[in-house]
Amino acid sequence: MAGSWRYCFKEVAPFSALVTVQFTEVGVNVLYKEATVKGLSFYAFIVYTFALSTLVQLLPLPFIFRRSTGLPSLNLGILCKVFSLGLLAFIAQLCGYKGIEYSSPTLASAMGNVVPAFTFILAVFFRMEKADLRCSSTQAKIIGSAASIAGALIIVLYKGPTILNVASPSQAPPLGSLQTNWVLGGFLLAAAYIIMSIWYIVLTHIIKLYPAEMIVTFLCNLSGTIIAAPICFLAEESLSNWRLKPDIKLVAILYSAFFSAFFNTLVHTWGIHLKGPVYVSIFKPLSIAIAACMSVIFLGEALYLGSVVGAVILCIGFYAVIWGKAKEDELIEGEEENYCLSNSGSPLNSKVPLLQR
């Protein structure tokens, strides 16, 4: 019984939570795109999202602090690192939402597939992942990372003919401006997801120092609010854009505050604590099909050949990274099992840590 509960907590729960996150992220992107069409201010959206998510997390914090007596103290070093995490989140949102505004939620989801590649590269650089070039798992992850980046470039630079378009010709913008915005949006989204990869690495480091997901998530969003508020207030000159009414714009802000800034950040933090940054990042490709369907149905956006070709290449790269990661986990588990069996007859076995090398 204990084994089944352990399996559910270690495998089923993070898998289910991270799949749910992909649905909510696409929902945020689609709602944001629709709200910008209705006149939502880009800067107001970011500030309200950070501020509301911070307020939501204030409710359970007294209970969490009461039960967190075994945690290390929040010193200045940890607070500075969490502040840098909030800064990265703010910059990623600036680039990401402006990229969606110039392009589409489908492109945002497709570009999200570069996250596993860049996260793996950074994890190797910071020695969070092994990189033995003679090992097939490492070769698969390197090839998969390269394919993911190539697929992303195809999506951005090659649009191709329209495969599916439910909008009328009169609604379509001029081709030249559309292509320019598409490329600019693609590069902004690429920058956002590279920053997100860095965010995963920094978060992994912080969670090792301070293993309390809710507190770290709250401080990250609080830092994002402190950073975003003065910058966005100065950037958004029209005070009328800060007024909220009960319409699609308010729905987009509330949805994003709860799911994007609170729920998704909490799940990512918990998933990284449990499984590591590469595992969390490899769920990104699931959002392609979700975004394509939702964008065509709710926004009436066109689906282009370049997006399909690039997404296929991205998915191939994604599954190569997945295979490499799974192969590596099998090897590690096999080494641990052999070590345990080889020491099973030793009278000192109970005193020797399982993972000690």
Side-chain angles (χ1 to χ4, degrees):
M1 190 68 177
S4 62
W5 276 110
R6 179 181 173 82
Y7 177 78
C8 287
F9 179 75
K10 294 279 288 184
E11 303 296 337
V12 178
F15 178 86
S16 303
L18 289 166
V19 169
T20 304
V21 162
Q22 298 312 309
F23 279 92
T24 60
E25 283 187 352
V26 174
V28 169
N29 293 344
V30 171
L31 275 173
Y32 171 76
K33 182 70 174 183
E34 181 66 20
T36 54
V37 174
K38 303 294 183 181
L40 174 65
S41 167
F42 167 68
Y43 298 107
F45 176 79
I46 291 177
V47 173
Y48 283 136
T49 297
F50 270 120
L52 287 175
S53 63
T54 304
L55 288 175
V56 168
Q57 288 177 273
L58 274 175
L59 300 176
L61 274 188
F63 175 75
I64 293 168
F65 273 113
R66 214 177 300 131
R67 297 191 60 180
S68 60
T69 53
L71 290 172
S73 59
L74 274 169
N75 55 48
L76 183 61
I78 293 175
L79 290 174
C80 288
K81 290 172 182 176
V82 174
F83 188 82
S84 68
L85 203 64
L87 177 62
L88 289 171
F90 170 65
I91 297 172
Q93 286 208 15
L94 278 178
C95 295
Y97 286 120
K98 185 57 72 172
I100 293 171
E101 194 174 320
Y102 283 142
S103 55
S104 74
T106 305
L107 179 64
S109 297
M111 290 298 296
N113 290 279
V114 302
V115 173
F118 282 112
T119 304
F120 169 67
I121 292 168
L122 290 170
V124 170
F125 182 78
F126 289 103
R127 297 184 179 180
M128 295 178 179
E129 287 281 326
K130 294 180 180 179
D132 185 357
L133 295 178
R134 298 167 297 177
C135 183
S136 59
S137 61
T138 300
Q139 292 170 2
K141 288 192 286 186
I142 292 172
I143 294 170
S145 299
S148 297
I149 295 170
L153 289 173
I154 290 172
I155 292 172
V156 173
L157 301 176
Y158 173 67
K159 199 162 191 179
T162 303
I163 296 176
L164 180 63
N165 189 7
V166 297
S168 62
S170 60
Q171 294 176 309
L175 182 60
S177 63
L178 185 63
Q179 183 66 27
T180 301
N181 288 346
W182 184 270
V183 173
L184 178 58
F187 279 113
L188 284 171
L189 288 167
Y193 288 125
I194 291 171
I195 294 168
M196 184 180 291
S197 299
I198 299 171
W199 187 86
Y200 283 143
I201 298 300
V202 176
L203 179 59
T204 303
H205 175 67
I206 292 172
I207 285 296
K208 287 180 179 178
L209 298 175
Y210 197 82
E213 294 88 347
M214 282 289 290
I215 296 173
V216 171
T217 304
F218 167 75
L219 292 174
C220 175
N221 283 321
L222 178 62
S223 301
T225 305
I226 294 170
I227 296 166
I231 295 174
C232 292
F233 273 119
L234 290 173
E236 180 54 72
E237 298 176 353
S238 176
L239 292 177
S240 61
N241 287 332
W242 294 96
R243 298 193 190 101
L244 295 178
K245 298 177 183 179
D247 54 12
I248 186 65
K249 293 184 282 187
L250 179 60
V251 172
I253 289 171
L254 292 175
Y255 187 92
S256 176
F258 182 79
F259 284 106
S260 182
F262 170 57
F263 176 75
N264 293 1
T265 304
L266 180 61
V267 170
H268 283 153
T269 307
W270 172 64
I272 284 172
H273 186 195
L274 203 64
K275 306 290 285 184
V278 175
Y279 181 87
V280 171
S281 67
I282 59 181
F283 283 81
K284 276 291 178 185
L286 294 174
S287 62
I288 296 178
I290 303 168
C293 294
M294 292 182 71
S295 296
V296 170
I297 294 170
F298 296 108
L299 301 179
E301 292 186 346
L303 187 62
Y304 297 96
L305 178 63
S307 297
V308 174
V309 172
V312 169
I313 296 173
L314 273 168
C315 286
I316 293 171
F318 160 71
Y319 285 112
V321 175
I322 285 281
W323 183 88
K325 183 66 178 172
K327 194 75 174 175
E328 187 178 83
D329 290 343
E330 286 178 9
L331 291 172
I332 293 172
E333 288 175 5
E335 288 175 3
E336 291 174 358
E337 186 177 346
N338 291 336
Y339 183 86
C340 185
L341 289 172
S342 65
N343 288 274
S344 59
S346 172
L348 300 176
N349 183 50
S350 60
K351 298 181 181 181
V352 181
L354 177 63
L355 299 180
Q356 182 175 316
R357 296 289 184 265

